């Protein structure tokens, strides 16, 4: 019987699905491998007189770590000190070791080296260096092997700062070549990102003493991949590492999984855990390297404030020391959003402080938490990394239990390149770039996150069955009933546009009528559904959004818009009567102010005699106290302006009424400071006239990237152009300001088209001047 056959027999076929059996199986295989080599050494040296020291058979790689598979190759090093035996004698000994293994069909990686040669090879070859870190004795002079292991480890630590860039570059090249366990339907268990070799690199980074590595979950993930690799060897009878489709059912059955999809899900989850651990450890190592390079005596950390007690430090977003006790969902989401906007990770201590234990959420979610969650979704590409952090730390599963069935679930579709959960996050990223097309960007982002939530095992129509699931989630999030129903509709119909456009004639009136009926004859829903369709297809991959499909969808959408022209909901001007106490106070010549605290800030009421620039003064006043306006209602009745502002106050405690009143009377403004360029992919500013919205006012809608001081700048622009704000409806959805203003002129003079054009241009300039106006 060959060695491979004996190893397969040791692996067995009945115990793979038993928890913990994998580790015991590998212990048996390791003991067998070492016994084989010990017997081989004894046989090889029985006919030759060996010196008492200076010669040894060493093992490296998986066989040295005792985690090799049933059919893994043997990685051996015949060590000699270069003095105890002649070159010819050591060469003959090597032949007596290698040839019997070849004759028995063992795949063999072998070398013959002195300790000096081991150090030289490790210095020149990164792969060899990482392998030699695990060198162990198989037979012969144990002291010689220990000396080599010690010298290799010493060199590795001494040169760690120089070798770190080489390690990171080798990772990048290998991952590009072999793909990612999280994305491949036929993953390479060893070489792909998140695979077995990444765990070896993780251990090597820890051995450099530049950074420690995480334990627990990452070790369990590694054991899972080893179990899958062992099962693959057994069912194929070969030492393969690629989990091919034709082998997945057999491997799944051997491991006790219900089907191949469940098997791939476990592989993806394990790969994600290892990748996350490796990324964090590599980042810690880089920080340690920079600290050693720059250290020239005691130095204090450089912290760049980001608001809410958060700071940017050494390539990460961290929580300030005084904020460590501020936990809860709102603080966690603010930290994640700040990191995602900068496309930086959260520091590990900050992650631990904010997620362990996972902060509970009351149901329905508080409005501030829901807004912060949508803000995170609106951050663009940075949300990918932060969502992964929240998912792997258990936050997503605790807040959205419905996420568990789609987590790491593979999609066996030729157009999809991601697992279901990663596709949902990618759709959010794509939808964020399209949110300027819709009235409610928050609903678009939530629908993007949940549109495939029904794509779970046993479901035939994931859109139909996923809609009520999405509705339940939206209801828990605290959305209004109308919004919940709209999210359900978007999820239920998210395939409708592309199916009608590609399977029917998009120019046929009946096709158009079908789409109009699906969106309940509402233009705002049509725009949401078309944006979701495009985001979904772009996230799936290039095969899902070809120029042909895009053209058909746009043609059908254009026909539907024409059919719905004139039916879009118009802004409704507020007409609530003023309370008597407010009217009386302002009539007596004093402004009225009231502050009602909320969990994240306050609702502030300001009423005063209407005058040019009052709106701008109020907006600048709030910004001067570090408040961020989330929503506002502004109306003018009988010469009295009554403004209701919902604000966040991240920079300081709320001002009291006396401070606010004094600031209003003094015309307090925020301090200006030089700003920075708008973030990549920022939504272009837009100001448009809303036709037919009012018989006696000019109605202007402004859309722009929200920022501190924006409302004040807009108010000043209106005043400078000779317009008074009769009422305003201000809201922020997913980081986008969507503000509607009802404007009048002195003496109600009709506004000429050139004046409107100048106003539009001035408003856009005010929005795009964010770089110079930030506070």
């Amino acid at each position: 019987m060959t060695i491979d056959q004996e190893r397969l027999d040791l692996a067995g076929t009945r115990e793979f699905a038993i928890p913990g059996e994998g580790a015991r199986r590998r212990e048996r295989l390791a003991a067998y491998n070492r016994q084989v080599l010990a017997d081989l050494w004894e046989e090889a040296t029985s006919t030759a007189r060996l010196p008492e020291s200076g010669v040894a058979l060493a093992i490296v790689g998986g066989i040295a770590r005792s985690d090799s598979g049933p059919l893994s190759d043997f990685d051996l090093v015949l060590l000699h000190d270069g003095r105890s035996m002649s070159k010819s004698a050591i060469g003959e000994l090597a032949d007596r070791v290698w040839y019997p293994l070849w004759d028995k069909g063992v795949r063999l990686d072998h070398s013959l080296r002195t300790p000096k040669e081991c150090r030289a090879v490790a210095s020149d070859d990164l792969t060899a260096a990482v392998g030699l870190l695990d060198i162990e004795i198989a037979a012969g002079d144990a002291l010689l092997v220990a000396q080599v292991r010690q010298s290799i480890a010493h060199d590795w630590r001494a040169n760690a700062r120089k070798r770190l860039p080489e390690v990171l570059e080798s990772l990048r090249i290998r991952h590009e070549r072999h793909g990612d366990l999280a994305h491949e339907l036929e993953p390479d268990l060893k070489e792909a990102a998140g695979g077995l070799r990444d765990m070896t690199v993780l251990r090597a980074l820890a051995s450099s003493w530049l950074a420690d590595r995480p334990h627990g979950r990452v070790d369990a993930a590694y054991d899972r991949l080893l179990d899958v690799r062992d099962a693959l060897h057994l069912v194929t009878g070969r030492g393969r590492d690629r989990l091919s489709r034709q082998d997945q059912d057999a491997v799944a059955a051997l491991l006790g999984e219900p089907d191949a999809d469940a098997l791939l899900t476990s592989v993806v989850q394990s790969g994600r855990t290892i990748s996350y651990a490796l990324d964090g450890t590599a980042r810690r190592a880089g920080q340690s390297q920079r600290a050693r390079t720059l250290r020239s005596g005691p130095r204090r950390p450089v912290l760049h404030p980001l608001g809410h007690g958060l700071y940017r430090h050494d390539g990460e977003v961290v929580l300030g020391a005084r904020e460590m006790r501020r936990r809860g969902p709102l603080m966690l989401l603010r930290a994640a959003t700040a990191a995602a906007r900068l496309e930086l990770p959260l520091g590990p201590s900050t992650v631990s402080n904010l997620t362990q234990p996972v902060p509970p959420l009351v149901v329905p979610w508080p409005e501030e938490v829901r807004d912060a969650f949508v803000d995170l979704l609106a951050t663009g590409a940075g949300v990918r990394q932060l969502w992964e952090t929240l998912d792997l730390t258990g936050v997503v599963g605790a807040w959205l239990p419905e996420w568990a069935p789609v987590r790491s679930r593979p999609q066996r579709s030729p157009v999809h390149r991601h697992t279901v959960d990663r596709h949902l996050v990618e759709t959010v990223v794509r939808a964020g770039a399209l949110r300027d097309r819709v009235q409610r960007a928050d609903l678009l982002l939530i629908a993007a996150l949940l549109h495939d939530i029904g794509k779970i095992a046993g479901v035939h129509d994931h859109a139909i069955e996923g809609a009520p699931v999405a509705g339940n989630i939206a209801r828990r999030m605290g959305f209004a009933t109308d919004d919940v129903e709209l999210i359900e509709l978007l999820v239920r119909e998210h395939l409708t546009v592309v199916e009608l456009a590609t399977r029917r004639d998009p120019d046929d009136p009946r096709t158009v009528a079908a789409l109009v009926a699906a969106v309940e004859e509402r233009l705002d829903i049509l725009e949401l559904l078309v944006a979701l369709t495009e985001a979904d297809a772009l996230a799936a991959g290039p095969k899902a959004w070809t120029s042909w499909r895009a053209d058909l969808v746009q043609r059908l959408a254009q026909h539907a818009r024409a059919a719905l022209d004139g039916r879009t909901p118009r802004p409704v001007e507020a007409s609530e009567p003023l309370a008597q106490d407010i009217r009386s106070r302002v009539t007596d010549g004093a402004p009225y102010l009231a502050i009602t605290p909320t969990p994240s800030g306050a609702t502030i009421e300001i009423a005063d005699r209407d005058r040019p620039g009052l709106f701008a003064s109020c907006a600048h006043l709030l910004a001067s106290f570090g408040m961020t306006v989330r929503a506002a209602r502004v109306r003018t009745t009988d010469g009295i302006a009554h403004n209701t502002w919902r604000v966040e106050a991240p920079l300081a405690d709320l001002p009291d009424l006396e401070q606010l009143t004094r600031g209003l009377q003094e015309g307090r403004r925020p301090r200006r400071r030089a700003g920075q360029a708008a973030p990549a992919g920022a939504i272009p500013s837009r100001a448009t006239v809303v036709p037919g919205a009012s018989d006696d006012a000019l109605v202007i809608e402004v859309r722009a990237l929200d920022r501190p001081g924006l409302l004040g700048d807009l108010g000043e622009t209106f005043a400078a152009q000779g317009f008074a704000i009769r009422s305003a409806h201000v809201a922020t959805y997913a980081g986008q300001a969507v503000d509607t203003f009802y404007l009048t002129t002195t003496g109600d003079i009709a506004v000429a088209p050139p004046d409107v054009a100048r106003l539009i241009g001035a408003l856009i300039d005010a929005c795009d001047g964010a770089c110079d106006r930030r506070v």
Side-chain angles (χ1 to χ4, degrees), residues 342-417:
L342 296 171
E343 296 191 33
L344 295 176
L346 285 174
S349 60
T350 297
V351 171
S352 179
N353 284 328
L354 294 177
T355 66
Q356 303 303 319
V358 174
L361 266 175
V362 298
V363 176
W365 295 10
E367 187 176 12
E368 294 82 3
V369 172
R370 186 179 70 246
D371 288 342
F373 182 78
V374 175
D375 284 346
L376 172 61
L377 298 184
T379 53
V383 74
R384 298 186 185 103
Q385 182 180 36
L386 270 299
W387 190 268
E388 186 80 349
T389 298
L390 296 178
D391 196 13
L392 292 177
T393 52
V395 174
V396 173
W399 291 357
L400 302 175
E402 298 87 347
W403 194 262
V406 300
R407 179 184 292 113
S408 302
R409 183 169 179 78
Q411 301 195 79
R412 298 181 182 276
S413 165
V415 301
H416 277 284
R417 54 184 173 178

Side-chain angles (χ1 to χ4, degrees), residues 402-403 405-406 409 411 416 418-421 423-424 427 446-456 459 462-463 465-467 469-470 490-492 494-495 532 536 539-540:
E402 298 87 347
W403 194 262
V406 300
R409 183 169 179 78
Q411 301 195 79
H416 277 284
H418 298 302
T419 55
V420 177
D421 58 336
H423 169 71
L424 292 174
T427 305
I446 294 296
L449 182 69
L450 303 177
H451 74 279
D452 276 352
I453 200 69
K455 195 175 281 187
I456 62 177
V459 168
H462 72 277
E465 300 196 35
V469 177
L490 293 173
V491 173
R492 184 174 61 250
H494 77 268
L495 300 174
L532 178 59
D536 183 16

Side-chain angles (χ1 to χ4, degrees), residues 700-752:
I700 298 288
E701 181 186 85
V702 179
R703 294 183 177 221
L705 185 70
D706 191 33
R707 59 175 174 82
L710 173 63
L711 284 175
D713 293 341
L714 293 177
E716 288 182 341
T717 302
F718 287 130
Q721 295 290 322
F723 290 91
I725 301 173
R726 191 174 74 188
S727 71
H729 308 266
V730 175
T732 302
Y733 300 116
Q736 180 188 25
V738 182
D739 306 333
T740 304
F741 301 92
Y742 286 73
L743 308 174
T744 60
T745 58
T746 303
D748 293 329
I749 300 173
V751 183

Side-chain angles (χ1 to χ4, degrees), residues 6-8 10-11 24-34 68-70 230:
E6 291 184 0
R7 290 197 289 177
L8 286 174
L10 275 175
R24 292 189 290 270
R25 177 177 61 253
R26 286 183 285 276
E27 287 176 2
R28 294 196 302 269
L29 286 170
Y32 173 78
N33 291 335
R34 290 173 183 265
S68 61
D230 292 352

